[in-house]
Amino acid sequence: MKRVLVKGGTVLTMEPGDRPRLADVLIEDDVIAAVEPGIQADADVIDATGTIVLPGLVDTHRHVWQAGLRGLTGDSVLKDYFRSIRFQASAVYRPEDIRVGNLAGMLEAIDAGVTTVLDFCHAVSTAEHADAAIEGSLESGIRTQFALGFSDVPGQDASLASAEGRLALAARLREGRLASDDALVTLGIALSDLPEVGIDRIRTELTGARRLGVRSTTNGLAILFHEPVDDLAVFDEAGLLGPDLVWVHLNYATAEQLRMVADSGGSVATCTEAEMAMGMGRPATERVLAAGGHCTFGCDVTTSVSGNLLQQARTAMQVGRLLAADEGMAAGRAPESVPPSCETMLKAATIWGAEALGQSARIGSLRAGKQADVILVRADAVNTAPVHDPYATVITQAHPGNIDTVIIAGRVRKRAGALTAGWGPVREALEKSKEYVAATVEKNGGFFPDPPLYLPW
């Protein structure tokens, strides 16, 4: 049995009712054995003095394959993101490009304290692309739900041009390498966009996913189409809402629509930075909370924004506070409070994210019997000391450079501020992929063709 003892940190278990306390965390193989003060054990000891110890962060929406396109759409609206990334770049991606993209993107997530990612993989143009994405994730050592994209990809193999063809690929993965729901990499489905394909195809995709016993995720109410589509109403009328759905964005959702999601047991992933950066409208975070739901966070696209999940939580909190204060001040009232709280935002980035993925019994908090996904945040750094409120230190002060240690399923993936994986060879492969993709896209008109492709929104 392999034992790791995280000793002497300020522990935030994120368990209901628990408060921060000095304690040790004993890990046996891939499981937490105990969380209590003064543990003595024959183990690999990680000195947690001067750190805040908490469960690994959970990202509920990220297109990990895009790591090789980082920063490409930093000054782009959503339309240009679609034109450059979804239509131009994905059309030329080879399996080796998606493999190194997933590997690099997952290492970026680990470095920032993220131990679980819902990987919305919508660049699958052949079965080999899906296998390559999974290989990259496996190599990184992260925990991930590989959400197989059902959206069409330019130049895709004919076998994947229908919902039935993609369900056949999903079934192969479910019966093979992603058969277990207890493995580090599990299977999910990333549904097509409803306005693009219509409810009949969505019904086929979602019922197929449920038949396979896997969870699904879908975008909704984030694009102002010339002929608006109420995704939630259409799903509801078709009897398709359910607790196995992670809704992404919902920027234009009303309070009633958000209550519909909460009542169905579904979850909402808000991607604050990307939504603001690309002109997608007001993030829904605080409105999800007001509707009785649990918000969660995703980094979405590192082509436009950072891969730092704490930044998503911080930005969501401050935007929510700004808008609430503006409403009060417009009525002549200065604010008396500034919800949502730092503790609420940390719940959203940990235990509520685990709930959204159907894994709260295994991850998202620190208690005996759960999977050992643990991170240590330096609380003695120049930007974090001294600590008055550890929740506030993590949410308002910390950045990826303060993530000292990352443990996933009992294995140390970052220690003393450095990844245990070798970054050099990955970076070199990522650079070669970038050069190939850029050169190939240039032959097809470039990332931003002129005139731009028409979009009906």
Side-chain angles (χ1 to χ4, degrees):
M1 178 183 295
K2 178 178 173 56
R3 286 181 170 177
V4 175
L5 179 59
V6 179
K7 195 162 186 62
T10 298
V11 177
L12 311 183
T13 69
M14 306 312 296
E15 283 281 292
D18 270 8
R19 304 313 301 161
R21 65 184 190 271
L22 286 174
D24 307 331
V25 180
L26 178 62
I27 298 166
E28 295 180 347
D29 291 331
D30 62 343
V31 174
I32 297 171
V35 182
E36 58 191 56
I39 297 176
Q40 301 296 321
D42 181 14
D44 174 15
V45 177
I46 296 177
D47 183 3
T49 305
T51 74
I52 299 169
V53 181
L54 64 151
L57 307 178
V58 181
D59 184 318
T60 54
H61 182 75
R62 190 183 300 215
H63 305 297
V64 186
W65 66 273
Q66 296 175 4
L69 302 167
R70 195 173 286 130
L72 181 65
T73 57
D75 293 324
S76 299
V77 294
L78 185 62
K79 287 184 177 182
D80 284 332
Y81 163 80
F82 266 76
R83 292 165 177 145
S84 60
I85 307 299
R86 293 289 303 278
F87 301 144
Q88 291 292 85
S90 67
V92 305
Y93 254 61
R94 304 163 298 177
E96 54 262 46
D97 300 312
I98 206 169
R99 186 199 70 82
V100 72
N102 261 48
L103 173 56
M106 292 303 190
L107 291 178
E108 175 187 22
I110 293 170
D111 188 60
V114 174
T115 57
T116 302
V117 175
L118 193 163
D119 179 12
F120 195 119
C121 191
H122 56 3
V124 177
S125 53
T126 69
E128 289 73 26
H129 283 72
D131 289 327
I134 294 166
E135 287 293 339
S137 297
L138 285 168
E139 189 174 344
S140 76
I142 204 167
R143 190 182 303 277
T144 177
Q145 182 183 102
F146 172 72
L148 174 66
F150 271 50
S151 297
D152 288 333
V153 181
Q156 67 192 3
D157 188 87
S159 67
L160 299 180
S162 66
E164 291 78 9
R166 289 189 178 262
L167 281 169
L169 174 56
R172 174 175 74 77
L173 294 171
R174 184 63 166 160
E175 293 163 4
R177 68 192 312 178
L178 302 186
S180 174
D181 292 329
D182 296 328
L184 274 180
V185 180
T186 58
L187 180 64
I189 298 298
L191 302 175
S192 300
D193 293 333
L194 172 65
E196 179 184 348
V197 301
I199 192 59
D200 289 339
R201 171 153 173 166
I202 293 295
R203 183 183 290 105
T204 299
E205 294 177 3
L206 187 50
T207 56
R210 288 169 173 165
R211 192 163 54 246
L212 292 172
V214 299
R215 303 175 74 84
S216 299
T217 183
T218 188
N219 297 302
L221 295 171
I223 295 176
L224 283 176
F225 286 93
H226 297 330
E227 297 182 9
V229 176
D230 184 342
D231 304 71
L232 289 168
V234 175
F235 269 68
D236 185 40
E237 185 178 348
L240 295 176
L241 291 177
D244 57 348
L245 272 170
V246 176
W247 288 89
V248 186
H249 304 310
L250 297 187
N251 299 76
Y252 303 120
T254 64
E256 181 182 354
Q257 289 169 323
L258 291 171
R259 279 193 295 273
M260 189 184 303
V261 175
D263 291 346
S264 74
S267 303
V268 180
T270 58
C271 308
T272 323
E273 271 196 298
E275 290 161 1
M276 294 193 302
M278 296 195 289
M280 297 166 66
R282 173 179 173 171
T285 307
E286 79 282 358
R287 291 178 291 129
V288 172
L289 294 170
H294 284 172
C295 58
T296 71
F297 300 119
C299 289
D300 199 357
V301 290
T302 58
T303 64
S304 296
V305 298
S306 77
N308 175 8
L309 197 73
L310 290 177
Q311 180 68 27
Q312 311 307 316
R314 179 180 306 151
T315 305
M317 180 179 73
Q318 307 300 23
V319 168
R321 291 173 172 183
L322 168 69
L323 294 171
D326 276 354
E327 291 170 4
M329 293 175 75
R333 300 188 307 273
E336 298 289 345
S337 62
V338 286
S341 70
C342 294
E343 183 178 355
T344 297
M345 294 296 92
L346 197 53
K347 288 178 181 177
T350 55
I351 187 63
W352 291 351
E355 288 176 1
L357 303 189
Q359 295 200 43
S360 59
R362 304 181 70 237
I363 61 172
S365 66
L366 304 181
R367 74 159 187 258
K370 280 199 166 186
Q371 284 283 288
D373 292 1
V374 185
I375 66 173
L376 279 61
V377 179
R378 293 242 61 97
D380 53 6
V382 67
N383 64 304
T384 56
V387 176
H388 292 275
D389 175 353
Y391 298 108
T393 296
V394 173
I395 291 297
T396 69
Q397 309 297 321
H399 55 65
N402 301 126
I403 306 296
D404 178 88
T405 302
V406 177
I407 302 169
I408 303 174
R411 296 194 62 179
V412 178
R413 299 295 179 179
K414 184 178 184 181
R415 190 161 188 171
L419 290 170
T420 58
W423 170 243
V426 179
R427 182 186 60 77
E428 291 175 7
L430 194 65
E431 289 285 353
K432 291 179 180 177
S433 171
K434 168 202 165 184
E435 291 169 5
Y436 167 81
V437 171
T440 308
V441 168
E442 187 62 31
K443 295 175 184 177
N444 298 334
F447 286 112
F448 303 98
D450 189 18
L453 178 71
Y454 170 78
L455 294 172
W457 40 283

